[in-house]
Amino acid sequence: MATLTATTAQPNRWFQVGRGLLVLAALTAAAAGAGAIGEVAGAGPEALIAHTWRMYGLFLCAGLFAVLAWRPDTHATVWMLLIANKAALTVTALAYLATAAVPGAAETAAWDGGLTAVLVLAFVTTRRRVSA
């Protein structure tokens, strides 16, 4: 008589790499948000809202990256919104860098450009959850 055995599909290595990239993105965004608390505390009235908005955005991204790390093979709309947002920030920073001396443009282009690449790589690597 044949024996039936149940097997649980294991996530493949690339899926785990993508998930790891998302965990790293979440931790980095959370650390940046925590670092921005001091900027908010030290901001004058003319920049207080902008610094607060940025801090909340960093914490929001950290949370969304964590959601995607938890279930990277779902939430396609969240993926697209995050990738589009980071790509738009990168393109905008590059445009500011090319046309005027805007403080922070180079750093924004580098960080958000790198994050865009990480998100695209994580998206691609998490499309196929299990090994064939």
Side-chain angles (χ1 to χ4, degrees), residues 4-87:
L4 295 177
T5 57
T7 59
T8 303
Q10 296 296 316
N12 69 29
R13 182 178 344 162
W14 288 111
F15 184 88
Q16 295 298 347
V17 167
R19 180 176 265 170
L21 290 171
L22 288 165
V23 168
L24 180 62
L27 293 173
T28 303
I37 293 170
E39 293 175 13
V40 170
E46 68 285 347
L48 186 58
I49 290 294
H51 284 292
T52 303
W53 183 290
R54 179 178 170 274
M55 179 187 65
Y56 288 159
L58 289 165
F59 285 128
L60 174 66
C61 284
L64 291 173
F65 296 151
V67 166
L68 290 179
W70 174 51
R71 297 283 306 266
D73 49 350
T74 59
H75 311 295
T77 305
V78 175
W79 275 107
M80 296 305 116
L81 288 170
L82 283 168
I83 291 170
N85 174 263
K86 294 302 162 187

